[in-house]
Amino acid sequence: MSLLEKIKNSIIEMEPELTVELTQSALAEGIAPMEIVAGGLISGIEIVGVKFKNDEVFLPEVMMSAKAFKDGFAAVSPKLKDSGYEPKGRVLIGSVKGDIHDIGKNIVIALLQGNGYEVHDAGVDAPPERFVDMVREIKPNVVGMSALLTTTMAFMRDTVSALKDAGLRDSLKIIVGGAPVSADFAKEIGADGYGEDAGEAVDLVKSLLAS
Ligand code: B1M
């Protein structure tokens, strides 16, 4: 079994320490950081997602798998950053109010960092006021919002409104993403773009900042 397969399985088997150990071995063997993320870590959490949906695993198991993913990702993340180019812009990203899912957001952050963007993390369950305060402080070129729940998507709209009310909207681009979000929804709430996955989010930021 390849190291990437083992990493994937360690996430499915909910073994955070093993995930970290295997991730470090993969890095030591010279496997590209992005390959470890895509072929090992994401493959594992995606399978857990399907099992969760099919009621084959339940929340405590999913949380342990998510921890394995996060710990493995933390081990590989500095190397992803090392592969970056020139800083190309400043991005603020958070999971919106009510939403504590952050795996996808953290992948988007890592890929942006790996592509040379300075990224600030608004964390999870980030209310519109936090985005407003952080925009005032950081002055990002782009604000990104992530939501994994249909119930929390509404806070994307509230955040866009709060940025408008604070007079900050015109100074930045807004992008949104997350499984229940769509390009139509992005348009509807007045965002500048929607990224289906982390790769698209990076392309979107690139194109928005070039325009
Ligand atoms: Co939750 N959960 N969860 N969960 N969870 C989902 C999302 C769900 C689809 C599972 C299901 O029912 N099949 C479902 C949502 C249903 C809905 O509303 N549509 C759900 C639910 C219901 C819940 C709870 C309500 C469960 C409960 O308590 N009864 C609860 C809510 C908590 C809350 O937020 N208030 C809950 C809790 C949890 C855990 C804490 C156990 C854990 C989260 C741990 C963590 O994130 N730290 C968890 C997990 C892990 C999942 C699943 C299994 C996996 C999500 C994930 O990390 N995917 C998920 C089922 C699934 O997706 N199949 C599920 C991997 C990740 C790489 O993908 O996040 O989609 P994703 O990110 C992608 C793209 O979407 C995109 O790029 C990423 C990388 O390619 N993207 C962006 C994301 N953000 C972006 C931003 C961008 C651009 C692209 O620009 C800014």
Side-chain angles (χ1 to χ4, degrees):
M1 193 191 296
S2 74
L3 257 179
L4 293 184
E5 281 283 310
K6 285 183 186 169
I7 291 172
K8 181 177 91 179
N9 286 344
S10 69
I11 289 177
I12 300 166
E13 300 297 325
M14 303 164 283
E15 295 185 275
E17 282 175 24
L18 183 60
T19 306
V20 172
E21 213 174 280
L22 291 167
T23 300
Q24 282 161 347
S25 304
L27 285 170
E29 281 199 8
I31 301 177
M34 202 48 231
E35 209 178 318
I36 298 172
V37 174
L41 300 172
I42 294 181
S43 303
I45 198 72
E46 276 177 354
I47 290 174
V48 174
V50 173
K51 284 175 179 269
F52 189 41
K53 194 173 180 181
N54 295 337
D55 289 336
E56 289 168 41
V57 295
F58 299 97
L59 276 181
E61 286 106 314
V62 177
M63 288 181 85
M64 275 310 280
S65 288
K67 177 169 170 35
F69 179 96
K70 282 182 96 166
D71 291 356
F73 191 74
V76 79
S77 176
K79 302 286 175 193
L80 276 175
K81 287 177 200 162
D82 289 349
S83 67
Y85 312 103
E86 286 282 293
K88 294 169 187 160
R90 201 173 296 136
V91 184
L92 169 68
I93 294 197
S95 298
V96 293
K97 184 173 173 181
D99 209 312
I100 61 165
H101 295 88
D102 65 356
I103 293 173
K105 168 184 73 70
N106 292 343
I107 293 171
V108 174
I109 289 176
L111 281 201
L112 282 169
Q113 287 171 329
N115 277 274
Y117 293 91
E118 179 188 320
V119 187
H120 297 259
D121 189 356
V124 297
D125 188 16
E129 314 84 69
R130 190 186 302 166
F131 280 98
V132 169
D133 289 348
M134 288 187 79
V135 166
R136 284 203 176 108
E137 190 191 324
I138 294 160
K139 300 185 176 44
N141 310 101
V142 178
V143 166
M145 288 180 269
S146 180
L148 265 285
L149 299 171
T150 40
T151 48
T152 57
M153 281 165 68
F155 290 112
M156 290 181 157
R157 189 193 304 273
D158 293 356
T159 306
V160 174
S161 299
L163 289 168
K164 269 186 195 155
D165 293 347
L168 299 165
R169 172 67 183 96
D170 294 340
S171 65
L172 45 82
K173 302 290 183 188
I174 299 178
I175 66 165
V176 292
V181 181
S182 66
D184 284 346
F185 180 75
K187 216 173 187 177
E188 191 190 310
I189 63 169
D192 297 299
Y194 157 75
E196 184 171 5
D197 56 32
E200 266 195 22
V202 173
D203 292 343
L204 191 58
V205 169
K206 270 184 202 161
S207 67
L208 286 171
L209 293 188
S211 62

